[in-house]
Amino acid sequence: MSIPVDQANRSDQVKIRLSDISFDPEYSPGAFNAVNVCLRIQPAEQVCVITDEATCEIAAAVVAEIEKLGAPYHAWVLEKLAQRPLTDLPRAILDDLESSQVSIFAVQAQPNELRSRIQMTDVVNRRKIRHAHMVNINRQIMLEGMRADFARVDRLSQKIVEMVRQASTIRAKTAAGTDLTANLNPNYKWLKTSGIISPEKWGNLPGGEIFTTPGEVNGTFVIDGVVGDYLCAKFGDLKENPLTVQMKGNRLPEAHSGNRELENDFWKYTHADANSDRVGEFAIGTNIDLKEVIGQILQDEKYPGVHIAFGNPYGAHTGAEWDSTTHIDVVGRKFNIWVDDEQIMREGKFLVEA
């Protein structure tokens, strides 16, 4: 794909005319949702759009919606600024974020790029930018998850988060063999990322989850959905060959799979630093417009049920005092969930009305 460069920009910046790139009109409803419903971009707000060569067409659909509003924006394609995988986020993008009120990150994940994404979200958190994180966004997600009724998802998310904020334990079980208990720390905050993005917490799109840093998780998780980060693209849907992990005292002493490559890659990822094997996130997916796991972590972690992540606990938001350089989500299917003694989900279906 040929990507024209805006020649009027300074030599240290490589902004791209995404408006010159044609895109599938089927992307427009999801792009409209991103710009007008989730981010609520205003005409006077500066927007920073970050994409890569593989995701330019989707980013072009988003830019088209921004242009309809008349909002000023800068668009960046990572490969025009640095070699990938990125070791650091390019300075030009960091500088642009410093003057933006809204940002959109629509790229395909590559190994060992989490550091550069943390550099980006550090600026987002400090400046309270309304930020949409769309890592591994693809056509299927644009036509499914991004077309969700996010107002409805937000209503359900609000009801569930109000319940868990009062709770001391959450238990989750599945017919596949998951049986785990999360003891909650009242000093750690629950966050709602329903797709309606606020300055207080950037969010993934498509949205639909509530999460916290747990006090402690113990038990078994049969991961028959997906694992996150770049391992998701490598291994896809794990329904036929799941990964089973044991958690004890919030740590990961065991992980087993019939797919030894998956087992070894996951173990290596979760032992990259002193806290990579620590449960940093305990979450409940709340996007009730999603009907099945599709093998894409960006959407699948919003699928109704429990997911957890090992590594970085997003302490700037939850209040967790520890840190990690890694973060990998794991997703299962068809949960039964109890908040204290009240069952809120049966076989993957919420018992709470939106």
Side-chain angles (χ1 to χ4, degrees), residues 210-256:
I210 62 169
F211 72 92
T212 189
T213 302
E216 184 173 301
V217 178
N218 293 281
T220 302
F221 196 136
V222 178
I223 305 160
D224 55 357
V226 290
V227 296
D229 206 348
Y230 62 89
L231 297 185
C232 186
K234 184 174 182 179
F235 297 105
D237 189 342
L238 304 182
K239 184 177 183 179
E240 301 303 323
N241 203 352
L243 173 70
T244 299
V245 299
Q246 302 294 332
M247 292 158 290
K248 185 175 182 180
N250 223 44
R251 295 283 184 168
L252 177 71
E254 295 181 46
H256 304 287

Coordinates of all heavy atoms in Angstrom, one line a residue, residues 210-256:
I210 N -14.8 -4.7 33.6 CA -14.5 -4.0 34.9 C -13.3 -4.8 35.4 O -13.2 -6.0 35.2 CB -15.7 -4.0 35.9 CG1 -16.1 -5.4 36.2 CG2 -16.8 -3.2 35.3 CD1 -17.0 -5.5 37.4
F211 N -12.4 -4.1 36.1 CA -11.2 -4.8 36.6 C -10.6 -4.1 37.8 O -10.9 -3.0 38.1 CB -10.1 -4.9 35.5 CG -9.4 -3.6 35.2 CD1 -8.3 -3.3 35.8 CD2 -10.0 -2.8 34.2 CE1 -7.6 -2.1 35.5 CE2 -9.3 -1.6 33.9 CZ -8.2 -1.2 34.6
T212 N -9.8 -4.9 38.5 CA -9.1 -4.4 39.7 C -7.7 -5.2 39.7 O -7.5 -6.1 39.0 CB -9.9 -4.6 41.0 OG1 -9.2 -3.9 42.0 CG2 -10.0 -6.1 41.3
T213 N -6.9 -4.8 40.7 CA -5.8 -5.7 41.1 C -6.3 -6.5 42.3 O -6.8 -5.9 43.2 CB -4.6 -4.8 41.5 OG1 -4.2 -4.0 40.4 CG2 -3.4 -5.7 41.9
P214 N -6.2 -7.8 42.2 CA -6.8 -8.6 43.3 C -5.8 -8.6 44.5 O -4.6 -8.3 44.4 CB -6.8 -10.0 42.7 CG -5.7 -10.0 41.7 CD -5.7 -8.6 41.1
G215 N -6.4 -8.8 45.7 CA -5.6 -9.0 46.8 C -4.8 -10.3 46.7 O -3.6 -10.4 46.8
E216 N -5.5 -11.4 46.3 CA -4.9 -12.7 46.1 C -5.8 -13.6 45.3 O -7.0 -13.7 45.6 CB -4.5 -13.3 47.5 CG -3.8 -14.7 47.3 CD -3.3 -15.2 48.7 OE1 -2.5 -14.4 49.4 OE2 -3.7 -16.3 49.1
V217 N -5.3 -14.3 44.4 CA -6.0 -15.3 43.6 C -5.4 -16.7 43.8 O -4.2 -16.9 43.8 CB -6.0 -15.0 42.1 CG1 -6.8 -16.1 41.3 CG2 -6.7 -13.6 41.8
N218 N -6.3 -17.7 44.1 CA -5.9 -19.1 44.3 C -6.8 -20.0 43.5 O -8.0 -19.7 43.3 CB -5.9 -19.5 45.8 CG -4.9 -18.7 46.6 OD1 -3.7 -19.1 46.6 ND2 -5.3 -17.7 47.3
G219 N -6.2 -21.0 42.9 CA -7.0 -22.0 42.2 C -6.5 -22.3 40.8 O -5.4 -22.1 40.5
T220 N -7.4 -22.9 40.0 CA -7.1 -23.4 38.7 C -7.9 -22.6 37.7 O -9.1 -22.3 37.8 CB -7.5 -24.9 38.5 OG1 -6.9 -25.6 39.5 CG2 -7.2 -25.4 37.2
F221 N -7.2 -22.2 36.6 CA -7.8 -21.5 35.4 C -7.5 -22.3 34.2 O -6.4 -22.5 33.8 CB -7.3 -20.1 35.3 CG -8.1 -19.2 34.4 CD1 -8.4 -17.9 34.8 CD2 -8.6 -19.6 33.2 CE1 -9.1 -17.0 34.0 CE2 -9.4 -18.8 32.4 CZ -9.6 -17.5 32.8
V222 N -8.6 -22.9 33.6 CA -8.4 -23.6 32.3 C -8.7 -22.6 31.2 O -9.8 -22.1 31.0 CB -9.4 -24.8 32.2 CG1 -9.3 -25.4 30.8 CG2 -9.1 -25.8 33.3
I223 N -7.6 -22.2 30.5 CA -7.7 -21.1 29.5 C -8.1 -21.8 28.2 O -7.2 -22.2 27.4 CB -6.3 -20.4 29.4 CG1 -5.9 -19.9 30.8 CG2 -6.4 -19.3 28.4 CD1 -4.4 -19.6 30.9
D224 N -9.4 -21.8 28.0 CA -9.9 -22.4 26.7 C -10.4 -21.3 25.8 O -11.2 -21.6 24.9 CB -11.0 -23.5 27.0 CG -12.1 -22.9 27.9 OD1 -12.1 -21.8 28.3 OD2 -13.1 -23.7 28.1
G225 N -10.0 -20.1 26.1 CA -10.3 -19.0 25.2 C -9.0 -18.6 24.4 O -8.7 -19.1 23.4
V226 N -8.4 -17.5 25.0 CA -7.1 -17.1 24.3 C -6.1 -16.6 25.4 O -6.5 -16.3 26.6 CB -7.4 -15.9 23.4 CG1 -8.2 -16.3 22.2 CG2 -8.2 -14.7 24.1
V227 N -4.9 -16.5 25.0 CA -3.9 -15.8 25.8 C -3.6 -14.5 25.0 O -3.8 -14.4 23.8 CB -2.6 -16.6 26.0 CG1 -2.9 -17.8 26.8 CG2 -2.0 -17.0 24.7
G228 N -3.0 -13.5 25.8 CA -2.9 -12.2 25.2 C -1.5 -11.9 24.5 O -0.7 -12.7 24.2
D229 N -1.3 -10.5 24.3 CA -0.2 -9.9 23.7 C 0.1 -10.6 22.4 O -0.8 -11.1 21.7 CB 1.0 -9.9 24.7 CG 2.0 -8.8 24.3 OD1 1.9 -8.2 23.3 OD2 2.9 -8.5 25.2
Y230 N 1.4 -10.7 22.0 CA 1.7 -11.3 20.7 C 1.5 -12.8 20.6 O 1.4 -13.4 19.5 CB 3.1 -10.9 20.3 CG 4.2 -11.5 21.2 CD1 4.7 -12.7 21.0 CD2 4.7 -10.7 22.3 CE1 5.7 -13.2 21.8 CE2 5.6 -11.2 23.1 CZ 6.2 -12.5 22.9 OH 7.2 -12.9 23.7
L231 N 1.3 -13.5 21.8 CA 1.0 -14.9 21.8 C -0.4 -15.2 21.2 O -0.6 -16.3 20.7 CB 1.2 -15.5 23.2 CG 2.5 -15.4 23.8 CD1 2.5 -16.1 25.2 CD2 3.6 -16.0 22.9
C232 N -1.2 -14.2 21.3 CA -2.6 -14.4 20.8 C -2.6 -14.7 19.3 O -3.2 -15.6 18.8 CB -3.5 -13.2 21.1 SG -5.2 -13.5 20.6
A233 N -1.8 -13.9 18.5 CA -1.7 -14.1 17.1 C -1.1 -15.4 16.7 O -1.4 -16.0 15.7 CB -1.0 -12.9 16.4
K234 N -0.2 -15.8 17.6 CA 0.6 -17.1 17.3 C -0.3 -18.3 17.6 O -0.2 -19.3 16.8 CB 1.8 -17.1 18.2 CG 2.7 -18.3 17.9 CD 4.0 -18.2 18.7 CE 5.0 -19.4 18.4 NZ 6.3 -19.3 19.1
F235 N -1.1 -18.3 18.6 CA -1.8 -19.5 19.0 C -3.3 -19.5 18.8 O -4.0 -20.5 18.8 CB -1.5 -19.8 20.5 CG 0.0 -20.2 20.7 CD1 0.8 -19.2 21.3 CD2 0.5 -21.3 20.3 CE1 2.2 -19.5 21.5 CE2 1.9 -21.6 20.5 CZ 2.7 -20.7 21.1
G236 N -3.9 -18.3 18.7 CA -5.3 -18.1 18.4 C -6.2 -18.8 19.5 O -5.9 -18.8 20.7
D237 N -7.3 -19.3 19.0 CA -8.4 -19.9 19.9 C -7.8 -21.2 20.5 O -7.4 -22.1 19.8 CB -9.6 -20.1 19.1 CG -10.8 -20.5 19.9 OD1 -10.7 -20.9 21.1 OD2 -12.0 -20.4 19.4
L238 N -7.9 -21.3 21.8 CA -7.4 -22.4 22.5 C -8.4 -23.5 22.9 O -8.2 -24.3 23.7 CB -6.6 -22.0 23.8 CG -5.5 -21.0 23.6 CD1 -4.9 -20.6 25.0 CD2 -4.5 -21.5 22.6
K239 N -9.6 -23.4 22.3 CA -10.7 -24.2 22.7 C -10.4 -25.7 22.6 O -10.7 -26.5 23.5 CB -12.0 -23.9 21.9 CG -13.2 -24.7 22.3 CD -14.4 -24.3 21.4 CE -15.7 -25.0 21.9 NZ -16.9 -24.6 21.1
E240 N -9.7 -26.1 21.6 CA -9.4 -27.5 21.4 C -8.1 -28.0 22.1 O -7.9 -29.2 22.2 CB -9.3 -27.8 19.9 CG -10.5 -27.5 19.0 CD -11.7 -28.2 19.5 OE1 -11.6 -29.4 19.9 OE2 -12.8 -27.6 19.5
N241 N -7.3 -27.1 22.5 CA -6.1 -27.4 23.2 C -5.7 -26.4 24.2 O -4.8 -25.5 24.1 CB -4.9 -27.5 22.2 CG -3.8 -28.4 22.7 OD1 -3.8 -28.9 23.8 ND2 -2.9 -28.8 21.8
P242 N -6.4 -26.4 25.4 CA -6.3 -25.3 26.3 C -5.0 -25.3 27.1 O -4.2 -26.3 27.1 CB -7.5 -25.5 27.3 CG -7.8 -27.0 27.2 CD -7.5 -27.3 25.7
L243 N -4.7 -24.2 27.8 CA -3.6 -24.0 28.7 C -4.2 -24.0 30.1 O -5.1 -23.2 30.4 CB -2.8 -22.8 28.4 CG -1.7 -22.3 29.3 CD1 -0.5 -23.3 29.2 CD2 -1.3 -20.9 29.0
T244 N -3.7 -24.8 31.0 CA -4.2 -24.8 32.4 C -3.1 -24.3 33.3 O -2.0 -24.7 33.3 CB -4.5 -26.3 32.8 OG1 -5.6 -26.8 31.9 CG2 -5.0 -26.3 34.2
V245 N -3.5 -23.3 34.1 CA -2.6 -22.7 35.0 C -3.1 -22.8 36.5 O -4.3 -22.8 36.7 CB -2.3 -21.2 34.7 CG1 -1.8 -21.0 33.3 CG2 -3.6 -20.4 34.8
Q246 N -2.1 -23.0 37.4 CA -2.4 -23.0 38.8 C -1.9 -21.7 39.4 O -0.9 -21.2 39.1 CB -1.7 -24.2 39.5 CG -2.1 -25.6 38.9 CD -3.5 -26.0 39.1 OE1 -4.1 -25.5 40.1 NE2 -4.0 -26.8 38.2
M247 N -2.8 -21.2 40.3 CA -2.4 -20.0 41.0 C -2.4 -20.2 42.5 O -3.3 -20.8 43.1 CB -3.3 -18.8 40.7 CG -3.2 -18.4 39.2 SD -4.6 -17.5 38.6 CE -5.8 -18.8 38.5
K248 N -1.3 -19.8 43.2 CA -1.2 -20.0 44.6 C -0.6 -18.8 45.2 O 0.5 -18.4 44.8 CB -0.3 -21.3 44.9 CG -0.3 -21.6 46.4 CD 0.5 -22.9 46.7 CE 0.5 -23.2 48.2 NZ 1.3 -24.5 48.4
G249 N -1.3 -18.1 46.1 CA -0.8 -16.9 46.7 C -0.5 -15.8 45.7 O 0.4 -15.0 45.9
N250 N -1.4 -15.8 44.7 CA -1.3 -14.8 43.6 C -0.1 -15.0 42.7 O 0.1 -14.1 41.8 CB -1.3 -13.4 44.2 CG -2.2 -12.4 43.4 OD1 -3.3 -12.8 43.0 ND2 -1.7 -11.2 43.0
R251 N 0.5 -16.1 42.8 CA 1.6 -16.4 41.9 C 1.3 -17.6 41.0 O 0.3 -18.3 41.2 CB 2.9 -16.7 42.7 CG 3.4 -15.5 43.5 CD 4.2 -14.6 42.6 NE 4.7 -13.5 43.4 CZ 5.6 -12.6 42.9 NH1 6.0 -12.7 41.6 NH2 6.1 -11.6 43.7
L252 N 2.1 -17.9 40.0 CA 1.9 -18.9 39.0 C 3.0 -20.0 39.1 O 4.0 -19.9 38.5 CB 2.0 -18.2 37.6 CG 1.9 -19.1 36.4 CD1 0.5 -19.6 36.2 CD2 2.4 -18.4 35.1
P253 N 2.7 -21.0 39.9 CA 3.7 -22.1 40.1 C 3.6 -23.1 39.0 O 4.6 -23.9 38.8 CB 3.3 -22.7 41.4 CG 1.8 -22.5 41.6 CD 1.6 -21.2 40.9
E254 N 2.5 -23.2 38.2 CA 2.4 -24.3 37.2 C 1.6 -23.8 36.0 O 0.7 -23.0 36.2 CB 1.7 -25.5 37.8 CG 2.4 -26.2 38.9 CD 1.6 -27.4 39.3 OE1 1.1 -28.2 38.5 OE2 1.4 -27.6 40.6
A255 N 2.0 -24.2 34.8 CA 1.2 -24.0 33.6 C 1.5 -25.2 32.7 O 2.6 -25.6 32.5 CB 1.7 -22.7 32.9
H256 N 0.4 -25.8 32.2 CA 0.5 -27.0 31.4 C -0.4 -27.0 30.2 O -1.5 -26.5 30.3 CB 0.1 -28.3 32.2 CG 0.9 -28.4 33.5 ND1 2.3 -28.8 33.5 CD2 0.6 -28.2 34.8 CE1 2.7 -28.8 34.7 NE2 1.7 -28.4 35.5

